[in-house]
Amino acid sequence: MNLSLRRHSVLPGFGLSLGVTVLYLSLIVLVPLSAAFIKTASLNWVAFVAAVTSPRVLASYRLTFGASFLAAVINAVFGLLVAWVLVRYRFPGRRVIDAMVDLPFALPTAVAGIALAALYATNGWIGQLLAPAGIKVAFTPLGVLVALIFIGLPFVVRTVQPVLEDLQPELEEAAATLGANRIQTFRRVIFPAVLPALLTGFALAFARAIGEYGSVIFIAGNMPMVSEITPLLIITKLEQYDYAGATALAVVMLSISFLLLLLINLLQAWMRKASGQ
Amino acid sequence: MSIDIRNVYRRFGDFTALDNVSLEVRTGELLALLGPSGGGKTTLLRVIAGLETVDSGQVLFHGEDSTDRHVRDRQVGFVFQHYALFRHMTIFENVAFGLRVRPRAQRPGEAQIRRKVHELLELVQLDWLADRYPHQLSGGQRQRIALARALAVEPSVLLLDEPFGALDAKVRKELRRWLRRLHDEMHITSVFVTHDQDEALEVADRVVVMNEGRIEQIGSPQEVYDHPATPFVYQFLGNVNLFHGRVQDGHAMIGPVAVPVAGMADSASAIAFARPHEIEIIRPAPGETGIAARVEHVLAVGSTVRIDLEPDGGAAAIHAEVSRSELRELGLVTGDRVLVRPRQVKVFEAA
């Protein structure tokens, strides 16, 4: 162990706490993940490539990552708005709404999926309003998007909210005395201040959406090549006892997710550096 | 630009922050709003800036009613106690902000912005920090940058809310002298809020003493210090001794010392104030009158000597200040019995 890592501190225990951390992360995260990689290794390269690049699988990547990205973007916009309203305004029922934001965290995702499917089906409350306009939500890729928006919202709200709460009102007042209008104040003063938190929320919502299974399968219809998500393909393969094929897909998903999250982290680090913090 | 504040009221729930305040700020002067916290001075400053609305009353800028004009259009520079610099911008961009947000038609070119910002940074003597970020600066530096940022929009009025309140004593003193010099160069109409009497008396052309939402007195620093209009002003400005007495035959009797007063009814109770340097201490001698007291403590540190005296009969302690030579003549030590009388005293009718 490099001793220069150890700084004097009133709370000693660097060695012990790092040791426990590494052991814990290994047991909880690293060992299960590496098991997926090891299982995949039972396939040879040709079989692996064939398993992870079949047209049906490629279509599922597009849907999973595309819908997750879009859902995270939509959540970033509206999550910011929800957080803003909750922090800035005092109105009756604010606490109730504040508590409701967490519901998608707590609700079993299957329940959410069934509820959404019932609502958006062509004879459901919302679905029958959309049907005359020719918009079908349930059992289409659009349904996948709706489910992913639902489960991702709290991530954005809960990461942005504390940052907005810490934002001094004086900053906006200063901008106003300097002649900035509302749009300029938001764009030049408030938005840059919340952007790092917003990106974190975006990344969390995005990651959560990629891994989402329970709510999606009830509303997606799961038509191959159209509305089938990668996690569902993995389950399908498992049910066919194709364990190696299932883990191969899992490895690809893991790798892509890891790369995307790494990219977002690098972007945040770059932004911090650019603002000198 | 002159500012005229007429009969302004402002309440927050049950709390009256401004209670019929009228005040004229003259063109080019540096005015201090002085008072304890909760006295309404910051609210008044924010009302002038347009950051706070009024319940009733008017604010006139240069004779023109500006009560409902938006902050943006008032052309005020505002300096906040905690600087309120934009953390994600460099010092240069902070100062340039007011120029960059101007409507396109009035926005200066990039070269012009650059020149103007560097001019201002030189004015506050911090040009070398242009590329740093606010968190890399000390408190005093941040406040000077905040001032440069406020001046960038060429405001007709400069408003400062406890500008030195978050700084340590030494930096405070330096900065307030610097602000005074800056004002002497620029002559921009300025109002600053402070709860520090030294700051107000040292820096301002005129001082407005506020308490509980009302103006107690307006005057030059000398006027308010030497001739306080109310008991509050007397007690708020500098150390003071308070005596209780009663009026008899046109004299307020403070112990055995009679002070002539005019216009107060017989046997009304009176309170009298005398500053420590207005207290005279003498050795008891036949024919001399004064409040009998005992020397409690003699502190000979600095140019004057501070003496704490305990009057007989349990009244509040009296603080006196004498010169070192006076102390040598008197030869006072702890425990001595002396007579105390105020050389100069201001009597008010007790409420």
Side-chain angles (χ1 to χ4, degrees), chain B residues 218-275:
Chain B
I218 306 175
S220 71
Q222 182 129 37
E223 269 164 29
V224 293
Y225 189 82
D226 288 343
H227 305 288
T230 65
F232 173 81
V233 178
Y234 222 118
Q235 281 183 295
F236 193 72
L237 291 180
N239 295 322
V240 72
N241 291 297
L242 172 68
F243 302 96
H244 293 275
R246 201 159 282 282
V247 179
Q248 259 174 31
D249 309 325
H251 286 74
M253 299 304 296
I254 299 154
V257 185
V259 183
V261 289
M264 282 170 71
D266 250 19
S267 81
S269 45
I271 45 175
F273 295 98
R275 302 221 182 265

Side-chain angles (χ1 to χ4, degrees), chain A residues 114-275:
Chain A
I114 292 166
L116 287 172
L119 274 179
Y120 284 98
T122 36
N123 57 357
W125 287 351
I126 301 176
Q128 64 184 349
L129 299 175
L130 294 173
I135 302 169
K136 275 185 69 182
V137 177
F139 318 122
T140 67
L142 199 55
V144 177
L145 184 65
V146 170
L148 295 182
I149 291 172
F150 176 81
I151 53 137
L153 178 72
F155 292 94
V156 176
V157 177
R158 289 297 178 239
T159 46
V160 173
Q161 210 173 0
V163 178
L164 279 179
E165 268 162 9
D166 284 348
L167 208 62
Q168 305 165 296
E170 284 101 68
L171 292 178
E172 289 150 54
E173 292 177 350
T177 60
L178 293 167
N181 62 32
R182 287 170 207 188
I183 295 169
Q184 286 168 325
T185 304
F186 181 79
R187 200 168 65 79
R188 289 170 175 266
V189 176
I190 298 168
F191 189 68
V194 298
L195 187 57
L198 192 62
L199 257 185
T200 303
F202 171 84
L204 288 173
F206 182 48
R208 176 75 173 83
I210 289 171
E212 177 58 13
Y213 172 74
S215 62
V216 175
I217 53 159
F218 287 101
I219 196 173
N222 308 323
M223 282 181 309
M225 304 297 295
V226 179
S227 59
E228 194 175 47
I229 55 168
T230 314
L232 180 71
L233 271 181
I234 296 175
I235 301 283
T236 312
K237 284 194 187 292
L238 286 178
E239 283 170 347
Q240 295 160 353
Y241 304 106
D242 180 7
Y243 295 131
T247 50
L249 283 184
V251 163
V252 172
M253 278 195 82
L254 268 176
S255 308
I256 299 176
S257 305
F258 180 75
L259 281 177
L260 289 172
L261 292 175
L262 187 68
L263 205 69
I264 293 169
N265 265 324
L266 289 176
L267 190 64
Q268 276 179 310
W270 173 79
M271 271 174 24
R272 262 199 300 276
K273 217 171 136 191
S275 71

